[in-house]
Amino acid sequence: MWNRMDLKMRGKLAFTRNYWSSVVVALVMALFIGSSYSRYTSRATDAFDFAQSGHSGYHMSSSESIAAAMFALMAAAVVGIISIFFMILKIFVGNLLLVGGSRFFIDNQTGNPGAGVLGSAFQSGQYGNIVVTMFLKGLFLGLWSLLFVVPGIIKHYEYLMIPYILAENPGMDRREAFAISKRMMMGQKWNVFVLDLSFIGWRLLEGITFGIAGVFYVEPYYQATIAELYTFNRNMAYQQGYIR
């Protein structure tokens, strides 16, 4: 079994050895991790609330209410278009950059790759397969998250290795990628959760510095550590024979 301190030490050494490329790649990955576009969606609700409540302490006339409602509808439409744009961007571009970033941090363990490795998924000849597999990963995670917090967290860790598997095997069938990630994370979810918790001090520093520490240290450190976790799991998978 892997050791948390050992993974973090090797991750830190790897990213600091190739510092600026690691910073650039981790920054791009951070922009597309999770639903970064979701904040725009919430503004549609705010717009409708504004239209319904009116100005605080001020009773709007009928014509003003109609104008406010029309404004809210227009704002909601704009926000909806922006949300759809970011969703499409994440599916067809962002997810491939996540796979390319995973490839970078795998290669960075033993080499000195440039930030251009971010585009490796686009050059793999398996664009469609990567798009579909990563889309399904996000879809399934979202559906499991609807069943309250715990199932979503469990599935997050179960699917954690998928971008790294695709980074090295871009043509792998999506069912096999899901199955291998699930097998890799079997019995490790709690330990990886604790690994994530061990970064909480760095995350607090990231918040205090308005994200500056995250860009220049925390994110590349974290991504390099998770890549070390994947490498350990990949080596174990070869030993156990469920990947060839």
Side-chain angles (χ1 to χ4, degrees), residues 84-126:
I84 292 171
F85 170 77
F86 274 94
M87 185 181 298
I88 292 172
L89 183 67
K90 178 176 173 61
I91 291 170
F92 293 101
V93 178
N95 283 341
L96 278 88
L97 292 174
L98 290 178
V99 172
S102 300
R103 180 78 209 196
F104 169 88
F105 281 104
I106 294 170
D107 292 348
N108 195 55
Q109 296 169 11
T110 56
N112 194 39
V117 176
L118 268 169
S120 59
F122 294 94
Q123 303 162 359
S124 66
Q126 297 292 335

Side-chain angles (χ1 to χ4, degrees), residues 59-74:
H59 179 71
M60 292 189 291
S61 67
S62 180
S63 60
E64 288 173 328
S65 296
I66 293 172
M70 291 181 64
F71 171 80
L73 287 172
M74 292 175 61

Side-chain angles (χ1 to χ4, degrees), residues 39-225:
R39 64 184 181 275
Y40 294 100
T41 307
S42 65
R43 294 177 188 173
T45 303
D46 295 339
F48 279 115
D49 290 343
F50 171 79
Q52 292 172 354
S53 63
H55 298 290
S56 178
Y58 173 70
H59 179 71
M60 292 189 291
S61 67
S62 180
S63 60
E64 288 173 328
S65 296
I66 293 172
M70 291 181 64
F71 171 80
L73 287 172
M74 292 175 61
V78 171
V79 169
I81 292 170
I82 292 174
S83 298
I84 292 171
F85 170 77
F86 274 94
M87 185 181 298
I88 292 172
L89 183 67
K90 178 176 173 61
I91 291 170
F92 293 101
V93 178
N95 283 341
L96 278 88
L97 292 174
L98 290 178
V99 172
S102 300
R103 180 78 209 196
F104 169 88
F105 281 104
I106 294 170
D107 292 348
N108 195 55
Q109 296 169 11
T110 56
N112 194 39
V117 176
L118 268 169
S120 59
F122 294 94
Q123 303 162 359
S124 66
Q126 297 292 335
Y127 177 85
N129 185 62
I130 296 173
V131 166
V132 171
T133 305
M134 290 295 289
F135 170 76
L136 290 175
K137 172 182 176 289
L139 176 63
F140 294 158
L141 183 57
L143 292 175
W144 277 104
S145 296
L146 294 176
L147 300 174
F148 304 110
V149 176
V150 173
I153 293 175
I154 291 172
K155 289 299 176 179
H156 162 74
Y157 288 111
E158 187 173 294
Y159 301 158
L160 187 63
M161 299 289 98
I162 290 176
Y164 299 89
I165 294 168
L166 291 175
E168 293 195 308
N169 308 275
M172 180 177 287
D173 181 80
R174 56 185 176 273
R175 288 165 294 189
E176 187 176 3
F178 275 86
I180 290 174
S181 181
K182 182 178 181 179
R183 180 78 178 269
M184 283 181 170
M185 296 301 294
M186 193 175 296
Q188 295 194 31
K189 298 180 189 68
W190 174 255
N191 291 324
V192 181
F193 177 71
V194 174
L195 174 64
D196 281 348
L197 286 181
S198 72
F199 282 88
I200 194 167
W202 290 111
R203 296 302 182 185
L204 290 173
L205 178 62
E206 183 178 355
I208 292 170
T209 60
F210 302 99
I212 294 174
V215 171
F216 293 104
Y217 194 85
V218 184
E219 280 301 323
Y221 181 15
Y222 178 77
Q223 293 298 339
T225 300

